[in-house]
Amino acid sequence: AQSVTQLGSHVSVSEGALVLLRCNYSSSVPPYLFWYVQYPNQGLQLLLKYTSAATLVKGINGFEAEFKKSETSFHLTKPSAHMSDAAEYFCAVSPHPNTGNQFYFGTGTSLTVIP
Amino acid sequence: SQTIHQWPATLVQPVGSPLSLECTVEGTSNPNLYWYRQAAGRGLQLLFYSVGIGQISSEVPQNLSASRPQDRQFILSSKKLLLSDSGFYLCACPSPGRTYEQYFGPGTRLTVT
């Protein structure tokens, strides 16, 4: 079985500060891991993904995440927060191969950027 | 690349009224399709998924139903809405060639009053 836990439903950072959003997963098979971003009243947009290649994954808008198998983590980071980063962020896991219905999302982390 | 359309974008309905939300997909054929609901503070909940016309699997028992009358059309319905049905409804399908990755539509904001 797969599951995702996002620690911290709300995170606030100052503009220019480091962003760290935490995600831990549970998977009985090698997982594919994702981070999605959602701006108000919009659908989810893929930010980055880990698909068993490089453990450090770079995404759009300067975000990156590192897959750590020993810690079962896939934390999202950005060195310097920008006001436009304020949004809801979702971590997700999918087993591989995926028979079509196995996508598991965390409960989301709302990021606030303080000017 | 595919495009997902959802209609309507926003909807306000009274308790007990019927519901019909539509999702249509362009740029891909015979995709798996999914309905998710996002309630305030509760993340994404998978409601239904479909692997083909007329094939619906329900993930959560509730007063909602789904249908897939055409290859690229997925409809979410209810005969009588409850207050707890309020939320943001998202349609999704796999990205082309990557069945492990979800691509989302713009969503429908439903408020039940």
Side-chain angles (χ1 to χ4, degrees):
Chain A
Q2 289 75 36
S3 67
V4 173
T5 301
Q6 290 184 241
L7 298 176
S9 58
H10 298 277
V11 171
S12 294
V13 299
S14 298
E15 189 175 14
L18 171 72
V19 176
L20 171 61
L21 305 183
R22 298 179 186 276
C23 172
N24 288 87
Y25 70 92
S26 171
S27 179
S28 56
V29 297
Y32 284 5
L33 294 159
F34 308 85
W35 275 100
Y36 286 86
V37 60
Q38 184 184 32
Y39 299 102
N41 290 311
Q42 295 185 26
L44 276 69
Q45 178 183 3
L46 183 65
L47 202 55
L48 51 78
K49 61 187 177 186
Y50 166 76
T51 57
S52 73
T55 57
L56 181 62
V57 180
K58 295 185 183 298
I60 61 173
N61 302 336
F63 284 93
E64 62 182 37
E66 186 172 8
F67 171 67
K68 292 187 176 180
K69 184 177 179 180
S70 61
E71 300 178 6
T72 62
S73 69
F74 190 57
H75 302 330
L76 182 70
T77 61
K78 182 174 180 178
S80 177
H82 192 273
M83 296 299 295
S84 61
D85 294 327
E88 187 91 16
Y89 291 82
F90 291 92
C91 184
V93 62
S94 170
H96 181 71
N98 192 323
T99 59
N101 65 316
Q102 298 155 308
F103 299 95
Y104 303 92
F105 288 85
T107 52
T109 298
S110 178
L111 176 66
T112 300
V113 181
I114 303 167
Chain B
S1 63
Q2 79 275 43
T3 303
I4 299 178
H5 302 280
Q6 289 190 243
W7 184 89
T10 60
L11 189 60
V12 180
Q13 292 282 94
V15 169
S17 63
L19 173 73
S20 182
L21 302 183
E22 184 171 341
C23 168
T24 58
V25 183
E26 295 178 356
T28 185
S29 60
N30 196 31
N32 290 350
L33 293 173
Y34 305 81
W35 277 113
Y36 290 87
R37 177 171 60 199
Q38 187 178 16
R42 296 189 61 184
L44 272 75
Q45 180 184 37
L46 178 62
L47 301 175
F48 301 95
Y49 73 94
S50 170
V51 298
I53 295 174
Q55 300 180 67
I56 308 295
S57 295
S58 174
E59 292 294 303
V60 182
Q62 57 212 318
N63 70 320
L64 299 173
S65 63
S67 63
R68 187 163 176 181
Q70 300 180 39
D71 180 39
R72 302 176 194 178
Q73 185 183 34
F74 202 22
I75 296 174
L76 183 69
S77 304
S78 174
K79 293 182 179 179
K80 290 185 177 181
L81 284 169
L82 305 173
L83 285 174
S84 57
D85 292 324
S86 293
F88 195 50
Y89 288 80
L90 291 158
C91 181
C93 71
S95 295
R98 297 191 289 270
T99 58
Y100 52 81
E101 183 179 309
Q102 293 272 268
Y103 178 81
F104 288 86
T108 293
R109 172 73 61 190
L110 172 65
T111 303
V112 182
T113 60

